[in-house]
Amino acid sequence: MASRRDFVAGGIALAASAVMPFEAAPALSAGSSRSLAKVHDLELVVVVDRALAAAAPFASEAAARGHHVLSFEDDAGALWMNELEPRLRAGPLAIAGLTGAAAAFCFETLTRSYRGHALARAEHASLTVASLAPLLAAATQAEAALPPFAHVARAPHTAPAFLTWLIETRN
Amino acid sequence: MPKPPPGIAEGDFQAALRELEAVVGRDWLFKSEEDVALYKDGYSPLWGEPEERVASAAVAPNSVEQIQAIVKIANQRGLPLYPISTGRNLTYGGSAPTYSGSVVVDLKRMNRILEVSERDKTCLVEPGVSYFDMYRHLRTNKIKLWIDTADPGWGGLMGNALDRGGGYTGGDFRDHFDAHCGMEVVLPTGELVRTGMGANPHAKTWQLFKYGMGPWVDGIFSQSNFGIVTKMGFWLMEEPEAALEVTVSVPKRRDVVPLVDALHSLICAHTIPSQTTVASPIMNGSADPDLVKLRSSGGTASDADWDRYTAAQNRPFWSATFVYYGPPKVIAAQWEHTKDKLAGIPGVQFRETASYTFPLSDEQVEAVPDKARLGIPSLNLFGSRNAPGASPSEGHIDFSPMIAPRGEELIALSDVTGKVYTDMGLTPSFVGGLMFHPRTMICFHAVPTFRNAQDNQRTRRLFETLVRTCSDHGWPIYRIHAAFQPLGMQMFGFNDGALHRLHETLKDAIDPNGILSLGRYDIWPKRLRASRA
């Protein structure tokens, strides 16, 4: 497990390997009032679970791009309570994350109170690196929100080691 | 676009939505398919099936007056409403309405902490105040009071109390409905009432004395559909000087009888103040073939069979975990007295697992492994399943039978429910007994839910069989997922369902047009009753 010091130092060398494709957002249904993604117009906050080895390079990339990076380890509760929710109360945000499946589910559920919609989501196998750039590209090209994350009842052998995701809040 | 409520034409529904929008403003009426999808029950045992409960729209008022205006529109147009506070109690139905087509009244914007009195140890909150909100408020303002949080801590004080949820700290606080004091309610007619001392406009004791004058009506607003609660008072626990978390372990299966008897006695005498969990390190063990064989015996494995297996594992059969709160000298005396009471069980072991002196620093708070026992809301329940390489968490609904606090009952329930699982070709689930309330144990089973109909049909069969079987044995549940509330109420059918008839008599009087939370706990308005029979 990576320590906080490891996380700050960043740059853990990992072997790159295949990433499961980003989930495709469904086409707009007739009469939908949704406009195209506003990700570029919103402040982007990046959230990582520093217990995951892939978190450090992802966070480094985000910081290099000038985004604010927040981290937690396993339990996202304190980060939500002390950092993220106060920011959301000040106005809409885009939130990108590199977390485990359960934390991704938690963030999607919590951000519902701020009209949060997942615009991009990708699953990654163990010992891979994940980049922010394709996540942002997928989110900005999204034409609609993704359906709620269906991590429930996944057999252990099909579980991803971690996910990258992007949620846009609108209230 | 989402479908309008049954019986309401599309044009009339759109007109109603325009009226709702005029009340709350454009940003707070949600009618697009993707916005309405945010109110789905993520753990629904009916996921994707025609019977899955879905909303038609949602509206988020910001004041009592806006709620009254929404209720007025609903009465005029026959629009079914379904109020939620945070809507995150996923194992009991989440934010999805009990009646498809309802407009969710999302009270998330009403998240004001109206008052906290450190001197009186009370608070008054709106429906959208979460455990996170209240904890943050107390800590930021250095108020030496604790909340009693549910676990996970993403729910809210009011919603959890109204659903009669429980927590983990002192005995006066962890029955969340019992810890409330005073309500303000918008009735389905739009009339605003305050209960208890709050009915006196000048009373300084609304959050101090529950009853006021005349019949005490607060109970009818819990697990019901008789009003939209807009304010609720709570008693808060004074931060103790210290806390000591301990574990008591006993080696043999039948040792649970004297263990629970002693714990019950100590709880009722206020020696043990906290929620007490009685679990089995053996039965919660891994998928060892010998263990699977014992657990799948359908109750035919003897105590001797279990004890032989346990002895080989070098682990105790039962362990009980609880916390003392107070001055260190008092804690030490309580712990010594507890050990004296339990010393007669051969092989009993006592362990101090954590001790704390308050207040805690931020770093100390983060390091607390079992936060709920110190009134700290967390998502650790998810985090513990989230470690790299761990199995993913599953959706589930809670099956929560309530038993008398007796070890024999815990063993019997384990055997009986084990047989239900085994008869259906499933591996039995066992958790143990949690003493949220001082005189009962709740024995949660997490019954998994899925995103496919075939597996969910099996889950529903399992859940219904568990409910009926446990009820037949005298272990009815205390709370139930929205999809199973008609079944749950059937289990409380004394005198041909007299209690249910009383609920519906109240419904007719309080909600004559039948607009609020239709079907919640199987309480239906007159016009829909025949079709639900």
Side-chain angles (χ1 to χ4, degrees):
Chain A
M1 184 177 293
S3 70
R4 188 187 296 263
R5 187 180 303 171
D6 293 332
F7 167 74
V8 173
I12 298 173
L14 293 169
S17 63
V19 174
M20 296 179 73
F22 281 94
E23 283 185 57
L28 285 172
S29 59
S32 170
S33 60
R34 191 185 178 281
S35 59
L36 293 179
K38 299 174 186 169
V39 173
H40 281 312
D41 301 330
L42 297 174
E43 180 190 353
L44 178 72
V45 173
V46 176
V47 171
V48 298
D49 182 346
R50 57 180 177 266
L52 299 166
F58 190 80
S60 297
E61 179 192 354
R65 286 169 167 262
H67 302 302
H68 191 78
V69 180
L70 300 170
S71 72
F72 67 98
E73 190 164 325
D74 292 341
D75 178 359
L79 180 140
W80 170 261
M81 176 167 57
N82 298 322
E83 304 273 358
L84 210 46
E85 188 168 42
R87 283 168 177 265
L88 285 165
R89 291 227 162 119
L93 287 177
I95 306 166
L98 185 151
T99 68
F105 177 73
C106 286
F107 283 114
E108 283 201 14
T109 304
L110 287 161
T111 54
R112 284 181 177 197
S113 294
Y114 297 88
R115 209 176 157 204
H117 290 280
L119 297 182
R121 199 186 288 130
E123 299 180 355
H124 304 263
S126 185
L127 295 177
T128 60
V129 290
S131 174
L132 183 61
L135 184 68
L136 287 173
T140 51
Q141 289 162 16
E143 293 190 348
L146 293 165
F149 179 36
H151 82 287
V152 292
R154 198 83 66 90
H157 64 275
T158 65
F162 64 92
L163 284 91
T164 50
W165 45 265
L166 191 140
I167 296 168
E168 174 192 272
T169 68
R170 298 177 192 163
N171 275 139
Chain B
M1 294 291 283
K3 288 181 190 169
I8 297 184
E10 178 66 36
D12 292 338
F13 180 54
Q14 292 304 323
L17 293 182
R18 284 193 293 275
E19 290 174 9
L20 293 175
E21 190 172 284
V23 171
V24 297
R26 190 177 175 187
D27 286 347
W28 303 106
L29 177 74
F30 311 117
K31 57 187 179 184
S32 72
E33 201 161 327
E34 63 183 16
D35 279 339
V36 174
L38 296 176
Y39 295 93
K40 281 169 76 90
D41 172 7
Y43 288 181
S44 175
L46 294 159
W47 185 270
E49 297 183 57
E51 296 80 13
E52 183 185 0
R53 276 85 169 160
V54 290
S56 59
V59 59
N62 192 31
S63 68
V64 170
E65 292 74 20
Q66 288 188 359
I67 291 175
Q68 289 176 300
I70 290 165
V71 165
K72 184 177 177 185
I73 293 164
N75 274 295
Q76 288 168 342
R77 294 194 170 271
L79 193 68
L81 303 177
Y82 191 78
I84 62 167
S85 53
T86 62
R88 296 187 190 125
N89 199 343
L90 304 189
T91 59
Y92 292 102
S95 50
T98 43
Y99 180 64
S100 268
S102 299
V103 173
V104 172
V105 181
D106 187 343
L107 301 171
K108 63 186 178 183
R109 295 172 70 204
M110 295 180 65
N111 57 3
R112 289 163 284 244
I113 297 167
L114 300 169
E115 188 180 349
V116 175
S117 170
E118 190 165 8
R119 193 173 186 186
D120 290 337
K121 300 156 208 12
T122 61
C123 68
L124 181 68
V125 298
E126 290 190 324
V129 174
S130 69
Y131 292 113
F132 287 134
D133 291 330
M134 181 55 91
Y135 180 82
R136 186 169 50 215
H137 178 86
L138 297 176
R139 194 152 173 89
T140 302
N141 293 287
K142 301 190 187 314
I143 298 170
K144 294 195 172 185
L145 296 173
W146 281 12
I147 57 168
D148 186 283
T149 180
D151 192 18
W154 62 9
L157 281 76
M158 190 182 290
N160 195 271
L162 291 174
D163 214 25
R164 299 189 205 138
Y168 297 83
T169 66
D172 291 340
F173 312 98
R174 62 179 186 266
D175 176 342
H176 291 163
F177 188 74
D178 191 47
H180 98 273
C181 191
M183 292 178 178
E184 179 185 88
V185 188
V186 174
L187 297 178
T189 56
E191 190 171 21
L192 188 68
V193 297
R194 287 186 174 179
T195 69
M197 301 303 274
N200 177 314
H202 309 294
K204 296 176 181 175
T205 48
W206 189 18
Q207 273 62 68
L208 293 171
F209 183 70
K210 292 184 178 188
Y211 306 123
M213 191 160 285
W216 189 61
V217 297
D218 292 39
I220 68 167
F221 298 108
S222 70
Q223 292 192 354
S224 76
N225 52 13
F226 299 145
I228 301 178
V229 183
T230 50
K231 293 183 181 65
M232 205 161 165
F234 289 94
W235 291 341
L236 301 175
M237 179 171 156
E238 189 165 48
E239 182 171 75
E241 283 182 37
L244 176 68
E245 183 179 297
V246 300
T247 298
V248 178
S249 303
V250 292
K252 294 186 175 180
R253 190 183 192 224
R254 200 55 57 172
D255 289 340
V256 73
V257 177
L259 174 69
V260 172
D261 279 349
L263 293 173
H264 183 210
S265 175
L266 290 161
I267 290 167
C268 288
H270 303 287
T271 304
I272 295 177
S274 79
Q275 191 265 18
T276 299
T277 301
V278 179
S280 172
I282 288 295
M283 294 187 73
N284 283 344
S286 64
D288 171 1
D290 291 340
L291 175 62
V292 171
K293 192 176 166 189
L294 284 167
R295 286 175 60 175
S296 303
S297 70
T300 59
S302 67
D303 289 344
D305 293 334
W306 278 107
D307 290 343
R308 264 193 302 278
Y309 175 80
T310 305
Q313 304 303 310
N314 196 29
R315 277 181 291 167
F317 197 98
W318 299 101
S319 67
T321 301
F322 46 95
V323 180
Y324 300 100
Y325 309 104
K329 285 181 183 175
V330 175
I331 288 175
Q334 288 172 315
W335 183 213
E336 279 309 304
H337 180 64
T338 301
K339 288 193 267 193
D340 288 346
K341 285 286 229 181
L342 290 160
I345 303 174
V348 64
Q349 292 187 327
F350 304 101
R351 197 156 58 96
E352 298 178 7
T353 50
S355 65
Y356 306 94
T357 303
F358 302 103
L360 299 179
S361 67
D362 290 345
E363 291 73 23
Q364 287 173 314
V365 167
E366 184 144 12
V368 173
D370 197 351
K371 293 183 170 64
R373 291 187 180 277
L374 304 185
I376 304 166
S378 82
L379 299 174
N380 193 45
L381 203 65
F382 295 98
S384 61
R385 303 177 199 166
N386 195 33
S391 299
S393 57
E394 293 189 334
H396 67 274
I397 53 177
D398 275 349
F399 169 65
S400 43
M402 188 172 252
I403 66 172
R406 294 178 199 125
E408 307 95 303
E409 291 282 88
L410 194 51
I411 288 175
L413 182 132
S414 174
D415 286 345
V416 167
T417 56
K419 187 169 186 323
V420 169
Y421 278 84
T422 305
D423 287 350
M424 293 183 70
L426 302 168
T427 303
S429 170
F430 179 85
V431 174
L434 286 81
M435 298 175 80
F436 288 102
H437 308 89
R439 286 173 171 79
T440 52
M441 282 180 140
I442 297 173
C443 303
F444 290 104
H445 291 219
V447 179
T449 57
F450 302 87
R451 295 255 167 123
N452 71 82
Q454 189 180 356
D455 286 333
N456 274 337
Q457 282 164 11
R458 187 189 62 199
T459 280
R460 297 200 296 269
R461 279 200 307 277
L462 170 65
F463 192 85
E464 179 171 347
T465 308
L466 286 168
V467 169
R468 291 187 184 281
T469 304
C470 285
S471 181
D472 289 347
H473 281 80
W475 308 317
I477 44 183
Y478 86 111
R479 189 179 183 194
I480 195 165
H481 185 281
F484 295 97
Q485 285 170 358
L487 170 70
M489 284 310 302
Q490 276 181 36
M491 302 302 108
F492 290 80
F494 168 76
N495 192 19
D496 197 26
L499 179 62
H500 186 237
R501 284 196 300 280
L502 174 60
H503 292 165
E504 294 198 324
T505 300
L506 290 169
K507 184 70 175 170
D508 293 343
I510 296 169
D511 185 6
N513 294 324
I515 57 148
L516 202 60
S517 300
L518 309 188
R520 184 163 166 74
Y521 279 88
D522 203 31
I523 304 169
W524 294 94
K526 202 174 278 182
R527 66 186 156 84
L528 292 174
R529 229 164 268 164
S531 63
R532 299 283 158 183

